[in-house]
Amino acid sequence: MNTTGQIFTDQQDVINEFIAFYQALLGGERRVRLIDLCYLRPWAWHIINEDKAIQLTRRVTPDEVKQALISMRIKHQGQMDTHRDSLKQLGRLLGRSHHQDYFVQRLSGVLDDLISPSQNAFVPGRSIGDNILLAQELFHGYNQQHLPPRCALKVDIQKAYDTDGGFAYHWRCEALFNRADVDSVHTFNQGLTIFADLSGLHVNPQKSHLILSRSASDVRDTLLTLLDFCKGFLPLRYLGLPLLASRLTIADCRPLLLKIDSRIKGWDGIMLSFVGRVQLIKSVLIALQVYWAMAFILPKTIIREIEKRLRSFLWKGSNGGGYAKVSWQQVCRPINEGGLGIRDLHALNRGLMSRHLWRIISADSTSLWVDWIFHYRLRTHSVWTVSNRTGSWGWRKLIRLWGILQQFIEYKIGSGASFSLWHDPWHELGPLILRFPMGPRHRDTLPTAFLNTVIMEGAWCWPPITNMESVEITHSLPIMEVRIGLYGLLQGVRSLLLLLMLFFVRLDPQ
């Protein structure tokens, strides 16, 4: 039966109907109207400059040919016995058309200019986990009544392929956030219509969802009718993980446990040795939870449940026979320390999440999530001084890892242009704002000042000491990476004299 209700019983008619259906779905006249480049030019933010365009269109050089051949893996059935065989095979490769390899190498240098920062998948140096972290932040407060009405749209695109078999731009599962009012959603719906007319990629309303915050419940029916989307609820699956407005619960992690159980059950009936089970744990079962461990601080109960399954599979196999020979802590030690080299899940989870803090500290400019954190979470603070009691559940759990990370970070002072004077732990006392809350006022500096405001010509240039509370700061200043000049020597003598004057004033009984 086709989409119109017509029933086919003949085998050839059924075949023809299948072909016609997928031709209409994946091919046919996809675009309602042609794309006018003059119309798109004002909206094209990701354009390469003239120099990079010349680099893309220049002639292929012999060095590029050599580099492309070296980067390619030469696959053949037999093993090359002599150097002559290698030259013959390279000669055959030179006779083929490998322009795509040259172009890939050239395009790799301009991908950051061409691809939006919001597109994190399949781009070197970017992480798809940024989309998950950002979505978790944007869903914060959806279960609160007093916040402004907001909505999120999970858009599913119906078509995925071009007529010539190539892969078209595909929004397979895109989460979009908007204000929950009729005008904003109507404008967004018009944008989807224009996008479908220009690209031929149409929204699948049966698989698209509208998620509304609690404060937008009064306009729910109106917006659902306007978009013709399905009603969505949190937690919502996005890129294989749950999107939450509150904390991650054990029930939210059940899909992870079921996936591990399914993989272990699939090995039933296979006679695996102990070494084989160790290798499967390392390469398969541990890898299943790495994706989750990069996005969430997993509950301790879930980590124990995963370890329970790994222990059972290691010692008993998939059939359930055997018993544990040593403790699991001993198993998770490195091989050179007497263990089996299986990763400790708790330490792995903390390590993967601490990497996000490191990207914030290093101000990763390629991450849209890091930019969002700087503008809406940190603002005038740093990860060392921001409160861990505000923000989403994921952010609060993440910021509490700074104590683990701080002991492995060493600050080396150069120009001081990238260090916060009061909020970064460049001093041995830690972030100065925590120890001296009135320090910016006493030092006549702004709380947002950078370290270079107290550095001149490679030497410390602190304002005159006006209170004994700040003496501790200048008394134990770290050594700078640059040589101190004459100006720094004079400033040091001046600070010493002022310190002695304050000391004798305090000793004066009057």
Side-chain angles (χ1 to χ4, degrees), residues 208-344:
S208 300
H209 297 83
L210 173 67
I211 304 98
L212 292 163
S213 63
R214 180 176 296 181
S215 57
S217 58
D218 55 337
V219 294
R220 176 180 289 111
D221 296 336
T222 304
L223 298 183
L224 287 173
T225 303
L226 178 62
L227 291 170
D228 194 25
F229 281 11
C230 300
K231 183 179 178 181
F233 301 93
L234 293 177
L236 183 71
R237 300 285 294 181
Y238 175 65
L239 299 177
L241 296 176
L243 290 182
L244 311 165
S246 57
R247 60 179 302 169
L248 181 71
T249 64
I250 298 176
D252 297 327
C253 299
R254 289 298 177 189
L256 174 60
L257 298 178
L258 293 176
K259 185 179 295 186
I260 295 175
D261 291 338
S262 176
R263 189 59 60 94
I264 294 176
K265 188 177 180 180
W267 295 325
D268 286 346
I270 302 178
M271 300 299 295
L272 294 171
S273 64
F274 181 80
V275 177
R277 294 197 296 271
V278 171
Q279 188 60 36
L280 286 176
I281 290 176
K282 290 182 179 180
S283 59
V284 179
L285 298 182
I286 294 291
L288 289 178
Q289 60 93 32
V290 166
Y291 187 51
W292 285 68
M294 292 177 61
F296 304 106
I297 299 291
L298 296 177
K300 294 181 180 179
T301 302
I302 294 298
I303 293 180
R304 287 195 293 266
E305 286 292 328
I306 297 175
E307 290 179 343
K308 177 181 177 181
R309 286 159 170 78
L310 299 186
R311 286 198 306 269
S312 177
F313 178 71
L314 175 65
W315 300 114
K316 303 179 182 179
S318 56
N319 298 323
Y323 61 93
K325 309 299 189 297
V326 296
S327 67
W328 186 249
Q329 289 76 14
Q330 179 69 26
V331 170
C332 293
R333 291 182 179 179
I335 296 178
N336 57 1
E337 295 182 7
L340 296 178
I342 297 176
R343 293 181 177 181
D344 181 84

Side-chain angles (χ1 to χ4, degrees), residues 72-123:
M72 294 166 54
R73 298 186 63 181
I74 306 171
K75 296 181 180 180
H76 52 89
Q77 294 181 353
Q79 185 176 2
M80 293 181 292
D81 298 325
T82 63
H83 181 63
R84 181 177 299 177
D85 294 335
S86 302
L87 294 178
K88 287 181 179 180
Q89 188 158 3
L90 289 176
R92 289 194 297 269
L93 288 173
L94 284 170
R96 299 176 185 175
S97 175
H98 292 288
H99 296 90
Q100 65 271 21
D101 299 293
Y102 314 141
F103 295 147
V104 166
Q105 291 182 8
R106 292 185 179 182
L107 284 173
S108 61
V110 297
L111 285 179
D112 287 336
D113 299 323
L114 295 176
I115 301 178
S116 170
S118 60
Q119 176 61 39
N120 292 305
F122 313 116
V123 179

